[in-house]
Amino acid sequence: KIVKNTSLGGQSVVDVYEAKGLHRELVKSCKIFFGDSPIEESGDGKQPKRKNIDLMKLKTLDIRTCAALIEAITGLMSMSRDILQDLVEARPPQGIPIVEYLVTALKATPAADPVLLAASINGIRLILKDYSHENAAKRQEMIERIIKDLDKMNPMLEYIDGGTRRYKQLFALAEKHLAERGEANTKKTDVTTAPRFTSLVNPLMHEAFEAIIHLIEFFTEESLKDEQCRSVSNAMNEKDRET
């Protein structure tokens, strides 16, 4: 939180962090809380293979700490295009591309943790919005990669559909966070207790929904000028989206 908040203090603060390589150290710390690297470092020049990381085994405190790390990294990337490019284009063994950590929560099954999901989506949306406008080929390659990981937003739409299992599981995990802080509104945190939208008061669900909606808005706005984003927008229309 300190890094995230102080990075808003101005470019001079961000320059100090960048000079010290703090952004790279923060990404390294993600491995501690995720419990593993999201990709296998091949060492033979081939494309690293992605690994499945079971986020369900993480403790709630570890999830919150990891989300805070991602928020700090996103804050630095938002203030410096150099940091953004450095983290997105990192390659093993020197570093892990930040996108690999961000998509871990987006691809989680059976459901993502809402705190980590919101932080990760905000990081992904920043990269989609700001990465490599000076190099169209690199930018299109990154957009294509993220769209593939997002499965054209199908899982995200399920999270904001009150009738799906993903929504109910997301709620159960959100209530688990509040229960550990003594703030839960339900006695049990299983999928049977998930309320309708009109009765949903869990603030962590609201934050996750807000992140998803902003991501939907990105693809909707960019669909007017980008073919890949148009394909996502059309896919969401076919799913009868409400946003």
Side-chain angles (χ1 to χ4, degrees):
K1 293 296 184 181
I2 293 174
V3 174
K4 177 186 175 184
N5 293 334
T6 55
S7 68
L8 301 176
Q11 191 60 46
S12 60
V13 176
V14 176
D15 289 344
V16 171
Y17 287 152
E18 182 177 355
K20 292 181 177 294
L22 179 61
H23 57 292
R24 296 179 183 177
E25 294 302 316
L26 289 174
V27 174
K28 290 179 182 178
S29 296
C30 286
K31 183 176 179 179
I32 298 173
F33 294 99
F34 274 112
D36 201 355
S37 170
I39 58 177
E40 294 178 353
E41 302 174 16
S42 59
D44 57 4
K46 296 181 180 180
Q47 181 71 22
K49 295 181 180 179
R50 180 172 289 166
K51 296 191 291 187
N52 292 323
I53 296 179
D54 184 7
L55 296 178
M56 300 299 290
K57 68 182 181 181
L58 297 185
K59 296 179 180 179
T60 305
L61 179 59
D62 288 341
I63 287 283
R64 288 202 293 266
T65 304
C66 196
L69 275 172
I70 288 176
E71 289 175 351
I73 292 167
T74 300
L76 290 174
M77 291 194 299
S78 70
M79 294 293 292
S80 170
R81 294 291 177 89
D82 289 338
I83 289 178
L84 172 63
Q85 182 174 340
D86 189 40
L87 294 184
V88 171
E89 298 180 2
R91 294 293 181 270
Q94 288 76 21
I96 303 296
I98 185 60
V99 173
E100 295 294 342
Y101 282 112
L102 297 178
V103 300
T104 298
L106 277 58
K107 295 172 68 67
T109 55
D113 179 275
V115 176
L116 191 57
L117 181 67
S120 299
I121 289 176
N122 290 334
I124 284 291
R125 182 166 58 88
L126 175 69
I127 292 171
L128 286 169
K129 182 171 66 75
D130 290 347
Y131 176 65
S132 193
H133 282 278
E134 69 282 358
N135 188 320
K138 287 168 60 176
R139 177 168 174 77
Q140 286 300 309
E141 181 181 357
M142 180 56 62
I143 290 176
E144 179 182 7
R145 179 181 177 186
I146 291 175
I147 287 174
K148 182 179 180 180
D149 284 328
L150 286 169
D151 190 18
K152 290 193 172 182
M153 292 293 288
N154 285 332
M156 300 302 107
L157 293 179
E158 290 182 12
Y159 282 129
I160 57 175
D161 181 346
T164 67
R165 187 166 181 81
R166 278 187 185 270
Y167 164 78
K168 295 174 182 178
Q169 290 169 328
L170 190 72
F171 173 78
L173 292 170
E175 286 292 288
K176 182 179 179 181
H177 277 279
L178 296 190
E180 292 198 5
R181 293 170 8 197
E183 303 173 17
N185 293 293
T186 57
K187 295 181 180 179
K188 296 174 63 179
T189 55
D190 57 42
V191 297
T192 63
T193 61
R196 296 179 179 273
F197 283 161
T198 54
S199 304
L200 185 63
V201 296
N202 188 301
L204 303 182
M205 289 290 284
H206 295 168
E207 291 173 9
F209 282 6
E210 183 178 4
I212 292 171
I213 290 169
H214 284 321
L215 188 57
I216 292 173
E217 290 174 345
F218 168 82
F219 285 116
T220 302
E221 293 170 1
E222 291 297 309
S223 69
L224 301 175
K225 52 187 177 183
D226 184 274
E227 184 175 348
Q228 293 191 88
C229 292
R230 188 178 306 117
S231 71
V232 176
S233 184
N234 290 339
M236 290 191 291
N237 289 336
E238 292 174 1
K239 292 290 184 179
D240 297 324
R241 60 168 167 167
E242 297 181 0
T243 54

